[in-house]
Amino acid sequence: MKKNAVLGVNDAILQRHSVRSFTPEAVSSEDIAALIEAARLAPSSLNSQPWRFKVVQDKDILKRFGEKDISRTQSWLAEAGAIIVCCADISGYVKDSQASAFFYRENDLITGDTMDGIDEYVERESSADAYAKFGASAMNVGISASFMMLRAVELGLGTCWVGMYDEQKVKELVGIDSELRVVGLFAVGHPAEVPVQEHSRKEISEILLP
Ligand SMILES: Cc1cc2nc3c(=O)[nH]c(=O)nc-3n(C[C@H](O)[C@H](O)[C@H](O)COP(=O)(O)O)c2cc1C
């Protein structure tokens, strides 16, 4: 697919479809760097930036991703140019949220009731159970992945977010620290076919609350 150098954001949104069929062309290191940079610039709660990414391009490992025990035989994953394993650093999420709150208070950047609200939020997050912490940090990781998806369209790359995988096996396969949680697999490559179908979506009336 050609690079879409002057694509507007709305065009990128309209042109993005999940791509599950890739050419053998490698994804360049420049393109990988551009995707990670897009993710890096995403917003996050209290600027905690809990996302961590492991870029996998080794063909043998990509092949393993397509196998039954890892992804329930989503064999097309083997054809991806890269799989970016998107992880959440949950303890980092808590620590960095606390650090931001401390910084805001020390520097009088946020004051009064709003600052008290932030302190309460951070306290709640810090003492939440592991499941709640995972949900909160995974939300931030998902937002960063959306930034990568749209940047990929501009680069002429196809992507698909994959949520069906065995987390423990993925961690062992690519060597991810036990402290981190895997939030999703971000498959990326040069599309063999660009899906042209309309987006199948609920109507506005179904999602817009009165
Ligand atoms: C959280 C999440 C998990 C997903 N998991 C998978 C998956 O395991 N395998 C897959 O082929 N697609 C997966 N998808 C892609 C969706 O099927 C796809 O986004 C949806 O059908 C809408 O199609 P579109 O992306 O082409 O607009 C996932 C998407 C999201 C956001």
Side-chain angles (χ1 to χ4, degrees), residues 16-20 74 76 149 159-165 183 195 197 199-201:
R16 189 212 59 81
H17 293 276
S18 291
V19 170
R20 300 179 183 87
Q74 298 191 69
W76 58 273
M149 274 180 204
T159 65
C160 186
W161 182 265
V162 170
M164 191 166 60
Y165 53 83
V183 174
Q197 79 275 16
H199 292 92
S200 159
R201 293 295 189 268

Side-chain angles (χ1 to χ4, degrees), residues 8-141:
V9 174
N10 195 44
D11 293 319
I13 290 170
L14 291 171
Q15 287 180 28
R16 189 212 59 81
H17 293 276
S18 291
V19 170
R20 300 179 183 87
S21 165
F22 303 100
T23 73
E25 187 181 345
V27 178
S28 69
S29 50
E30 289 79 15
D31 282 353
I32 294 287
L35 295 177
I36 301 298
E37 177 63 0
R40 194 178 73 90
L41 296 177
S44 57
S45 52
L46 288 167
N47 204 19
S48 54
Q49 306 164 65
W51 40 72
R52 306 288 181 266
F53 304 104
K54 175 94 179 178
V55 179
V56 180
Q57 290 185 286
D58 180 288
K59 290 278 167 216
D60 292 331
I61 301 181
L62 292 175
K63 191 160 171 284
R64 280 285 294 122
F65 272 106
E67 291 174 2
K68 182 172 177 163
D69 61 324
I70 303 270
S71 69
R72 304 300 289 266
T73 324
Q74 298 191 69
S75 45
W76 58 273
L77 285 170
E79 311 306 326
I83 290 178
I84 303 177
V85 182
C86 300
C87 304
D89 179 349
I90 292 171
S91 57
Y93 164 70
V94 171
K95 253 192 278 150
D96 289 327
S97 299
Q98 288 166 334
S100 288
F102 183 78
F103 182 79
Y104 295 157
R105 186 177 281 288
E106 287 299 292
N107 293 282
D108 280 335
L109 296 177
I110 298 176
T111 54
D113 200 34
T114 307
M115 194 62 233
D116 292 341
I118 289 175
D119 285 340
E120 279 166 30
Y121 171 81
V122 170
E123 176 53 32
R124 202 171 55 239
E125 290 297 295
S126 314
S127 52
D129 64 23
Y131 187 73
K133 279 183 189 146
F134 173 66
S137 49
M139 175 177 63
N140 290 297
V141 178

Side-chain angles (χ1 to χ4, degrees), residues 167-188:
E167 181 178 13
Q168 201 44 44
K169 294 216 164 110
V170 167
K171 282 175 145 185
E172 283 161 18
L173 178 65
V174 302
I176 288 180
D177 197 289
S178 61
E179 297 291 297
L180 300 180
R181 292 291 311 272
V182 179
V183 174
L185 308 178
F186 186 91
V188 55

